[in-house]
Amino acid sequence: QLTMSLNSSTLLNEENAQGPKSNTECLEGLELQTPSSFQDNPLQQLQLASQEVLEKAKKSGRSKCPRCNSSRMFYCYTCFVPVETVPTKEIPTVKLPLKIDIIKHPNETDGKSTAVHAKLLAPDDVTIYKYPCIPEYEEKRHEIALIFPGPNSVSVKDIALHLQKHTRKGVGASDDDCSREPLLKQAKIEPKEERNPNECISSSRSEGTRLKKIIFIDSTWNQTNKIITDERLQGLLQIELKTRKTCFWRHQKGKPDTYLSTIEAIYYFLVDYHQEILKESYKGQYDNLLFFFSFMHTLIKDAKCCAGKE
């Protein structure tokens, strides 16, 4: 079963392209207040930094990007920086346990992508590439995985075991030879000493399964084939997320509500990784990745009500 959408969009791009002005005016005209829809908001349990800076920016309306001078709301989706009315120091920063590469389809509209949220909120750990300009991953595939559902995908909790098997097959070693790890030096053992496979897996878990980078594809589902079949992504371990329902406001027609936006997929993967691999209790460490998403979710819902769509 497919559990995530590789479609992503950010907000304030009105659903009806024919009537952007009325919706934008509706958004910008909302008064500073605790959202009336808060009680019904499925994102209300998040532990987020104060969104007062976004409330103030909403009242001010669109502002200039400090780099390209384009008129934007909240942030510039091409320069990956907040606009002048949103001081960077008032935006939370999230430290991630591994690096994230986001591969964006060339036809995916910048202003509709939630991928930029990850770059804004975790700037030191997130890199966005526009396909086909992506890195060569082959030499480091023992420490990189791709989030993509499919018949060969594994769950987050099984990363430790499958990453080792996946890598070993790729270099021509046998599945049951835990002592052979040509891509990472290990402590020397006696020639006749046998190593317990479970110890190998446990050791791998203690090192974060040697996973250092995760790749996400930012694209509508129908556009993913061009990217996922690229030879530079072949041989990477594929990971499938648990089934969760999206809160995204620009849902793909005809697709189930288990198709997530890119920022949701990143967030849920990290929550699972924190619990299943790092073996630590989750206490909201990555909630601020949804700092913009949750705010926009409320804005869009209120804007629809204002426009009489709900």
Side-chain angles (χ1 to χ4, degrees), residues 24-304:
T24 299
E25 289 173 350
C26 185
L27 288 175
E28 295 175 356
L30 292 175
E31 296 180 358
L32 178 62
Q33 61 183 351
T34 300
S36 59
S37 58
F38 183 81
Q39 187 173 358
D40 301 322
N41 186 349
L43 304 173
Q44 63 182 327
Q45 300 301 319
L46 296 174
Q47 299 180 42
L48 299 173
S50 171
Q51 295 176 321
E52 184 179 358
V53 62
L54 300 182
E55 290 283 7
K56 290 180 178 178
K58 177 189 71 180
K59 294 187 70 176
S60 300
R62 300 171 74 87
S63 181
K64 286 185 178 181
C65 167
R67 293 187 182 175
C68 69
N69 290 321
S70 296
S71 177
R72 300 281 190 256
M73 193 73 171
F74 303 129
Y75 56 80
C76 179
Y77 44 75
T78 51
C79 298
F80 310 140
V81 294
V83 295
E84 293 177 346
T85 55
V86 182
T88 303
K89 64 181 180 180
E90 295 186 41
I91 300 299
T93 300
V94 184
K95 181 61 181 174
L96 307 185
L98 33 65
K99 300 297 182 181
I100 289 178
D101 279 2
I102 300 173
I103 300 176
K104 190 172 178 298
H105 193 282
N107 294 337
E108 184 72 3
T109 305
D110 290 339
K112 295 181 180 179
S113 174
T114 58
V116 65
H117 295 185
K119 182 61 179 176
L120 285 162
L121 298 163
D124 295 335
D125 298 318
V126 175
T127 304
I128 298 178
Y129 298 95
K130 181 169 287 190
Y131 188 83
C133 299
I134 65 174
E136 295 285 349
Y137 294 110
E138 184 176 0
E139 293 184 2
K140 294 187 177 181
R141 64 181 180 179
H142 59 291
E143 59 188 34
I144 299 175
L146 172 66
I147 301 296
F148 196 83
N152 298 319
S153 298
V154 304
S155 65
V156 173
K157 68 179 180 180
D158 292 329
I159 288 177
L161 175 63
H162 287 278
L163 189 63
Q164 287 195 7
K165 284 185 175 181
H166 196 81
T167 302
R168 222 169 279 114
K169 286 179 180 178
V171 296
S174 62
D175 284 352
D176 57 358
D177 185 1
C178 263
S179 65
R180 292 181 64 187
E181 187 60 79
L183 298 175
L184 189 65
K185 291 183 178 179
Q186 297 183 344
K188 190 173 182 180
I189 58 176
E190 294 300 319
K192 293 185 179 181
E193 180 182 346
E194 292 187 0
R195 203 169 186 186
N196 188 326
N198 291 328
E199 291 179 1
C200 200
I201 296 172
S202 176
S203 173
S204 180
R205 279 203 177 116
S206 68
E207 297 174 22
T209 71
R210 300 192 182 96
L211 196 59
K212 294 184 179 179
K213 180 176 290 186
I214 289 290
I215 301 171
F216 290 83
I217 297 176
D218 184 34
S219 167
T220 59
W221 182 252
N222 294 333
Q223 295 174 334
T224 57
N225 189 60
K226 181 177 181 180
I227 296 178
I228 197 63
T229 56
D230 189 288
E231 60 180 9
R232 290 167 291 184
L233 299 181
Q234 304 312 302
L236 293 176
L237 177 66
Q238 290 184 202
I239 298 172
E240 185 167 359
L241 302 181
K242 292 179 182 177
T243 300
R244 291 182 171 96
K245 291 186 178 181
T246 183
C247 291
F248 196 39
W249 50 89
R250 295 181 66 92
H251 190 63
Q252 294 186 64
K253 280 187 177 181
K255 302 300 181 183
D257 58 5
T258 51
Y259 276 29
L260 307 176
S261 65
T262 299
I263 193 63
E264 287 177 300
I266 292 173
Y267 169 74
Y268 285 125
F269 165 77
L270 290 171
V271 172
D272 291 346
Y273 182 85
H274 193 84
Q275 297 172 322
E276 302 285 358
I277 302 301
L278 300 184
K279 300 297 182 183
E280 297 177 14
S281 60
Y282 184 70
K283 299 179 180 179
Q285 290 91 334
Y286 313 118
D287 282 10
N288 274 323
L289 284 175
L290 298 178
F291 180 76
F292 289 105
F293 184 89
S294 63
F295 187 80
M296 293 169 178
H297 176 273
T298 299
L299 276 187
I300 295 298
K301 186 169 184 178
D302 287 350
K304 286 182 177 180

